[in-house]
């Protein structure tokens, strides 16, 4: 994922992560929240598409917003 971000000139401004237990199974769940600065010439939609493709490979869910 870092190569995806770097390839688009994205800066990670904040990163929070947490490990907690899943409600039903008790299995460990990792969650992360990041604030990214995306250059205007690349755009959020293209970055989101790249990250969603990686998400399928890594078995993760992705949510993005342009706040």
């Amino acid at each position: 994922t870092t190569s995806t971000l770097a390839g688009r000139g994205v800066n990670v401004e904040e990163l929070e992560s947490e490990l907690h237990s899943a409600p039903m199974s008790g299995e460990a769940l990792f969650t992360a929240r990041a604030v990214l600065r995306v250059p205007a010439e690349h755009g959020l939609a293209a970055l989101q598409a790249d990250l969603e493709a990686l998400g399928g490979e890594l078995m993760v869910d992705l949510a993005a917003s342009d706040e």
Side-chain angles (χ1 to χ4, degrees):
T1 57
T2 55
S3 61
T4 300
L5 298 176
R8 293 198 172 274
V10 174
N11 289 319
V12 179
E13 295 187 349
E14 295 177 31
L15 180 62
E16 300 172 11
S17 63
E18 182 180 5
L19 186 63
H20 53 90
S21 296
M24 299 294 276
S25 67
E27 291 185 32
L29 291 177
F30 174 80
T31 59
R33 179 184 171 277
V35 175
L36 308 175
R37 173 88 46 201
V38 181
E41 63 268 16
H42 293 291
L44 180 59
L47 176 63
Q48 186 170 356
D50 287 351
L51 292 175
E52 286 175 350
L54 281 174
E57 294 175 23
L58 300 173
M59 296 177 55
V60 298
D61 294 324
L62 173 71
S65 68
D66 58 358
E67 295 178 5

